[in-house]
Amino acid sequence: NGNIDGFICQPSSTAGTGNKIIGCRAWLNSANGFNLTHAFTSVTLDSCWAFDNGYGAPAGFTATVAFEGGNGFVTGGYGSGATLSSLPSTIPVHVIEQCVAYHNHLAGFTAGDHLGGNQYFNNSSYDNQVNFDMKNRSSPTDATEVPGYGHTLNNNISFAPRRRGADVLNLNNKQSVNSFNTFSKPFRAVVAADFNSLDAKELFSARTLSGNLPLIIFMSLKSHKYVDKGIDVGLPYRGSAPDLGYMEYDKSLTGPGKFADFLYGHLVDGKAVLSWVADGRNCVGIMIEKSFDGLNNWETIEKVDPYITGKPTPYVYTDPALLINKAYYRIAQLSGDGKVHYGMTIVLSPLSGQL
């Protein structure tokens, strides 16, 4: 019906503090991906992805049917009919950081006619009609839309909005902070070659085995044009300064990874201790499997996320169960293309060497 949001966070009193949405995805909602309208206290959106909102996809992932709505992130506002008595005494400042907005029908990020400024740090916006739309409402007693005031935008990337020149619109630069973004001077124009990948299918990938967002390279930086070119906003970063965009530059994200071939094992206090070395690139999860016959009856006893360090990294795991009978162990690694890679199988028994 054109009015369904993915996530709505609308704390209805000033007592409802500490609101955060972290590591969530919203796509193919007929209205908006994330909606903070009518919020009486601050909300933080951290490491969230909004894509293909405002579109329908009756088959596959082809988002072709457009609804009337469709913003990625609506980050404030109280509606055109709001009156002074219906507003919070202090307008909250929302924080939107390390988020991705892709191919939403309207704006990637919009201030939603908010009555104050928000903070937008290290976000990436691509192929929305408008990538960043910062319009505000004039005042609590005047619903007129005006260029956004009080906003702080740092370290954001805007690439290829569908509307020409719509990297950032409706922003009062004299009353806002607009610096260290791709749309802030003196940065050069963003081009496709600046990224490792623009394949949006990655956004649909399965979460890692521990439930985190998938490890993808979509809109990750390939060139050094925007590496160490940001300003410290309190988020973790590598190098001499933060990068621009939702993901820090990491040269280990490209190229094939090397999966573990060798598995070593010994006993410590009667428990099996396994160790191996692997390069975590192109690996989305590691499963430690155990069997008592070494044939078909394998059980996954632990799931861990890979370390992505750009070099072979050691892993150590201790089976919490006392080893009473002979047991077989192996490592199964799930690659980004969905294939499972098995390393060698080892066998340990209560008579194996103890340390």
Side-chain angles (χ1 to χ4, degrees), residues 12 23 76 106 111 125 130 133 152 154 168 174 176 186 218 236-238 242 252-253 277 279 293 303 322 324 333 342:
S12 58
L106 298 177
S125 193
V130 178
D133 187 352
T152 301
N154 294 136
V168 58
K174 293 183 179 180
S176 298
F218 178 75
Y237 64 89
R238 305 183 185 96
S252 71
L253 290 175
V277 175
D279 177 350
D293 60 17
K303 299 177 181 179
L322 286 173
I324 300 174
Q333 295 173 108
Y342 292 100

Side-chain angles (χ1 to χ4, degrees), residues 38 86 129 141 234 257 261:
H38 305 290
S86 66
Q129 184 178 129
T141 58
D261 293 322

Side-chain angles (χ1 to χ4, degrees), residues 1-3 30-32 53-55 65-71 105-106 129:
N1 62 12
N3 194 33
S30 56
N32 309 296
N53 292 290
Y55 293 97
V65 181
F67 295 97
E68 292 183 3
N71 297 287
H105 183 220
L106 298 177
Q129 184 178 129

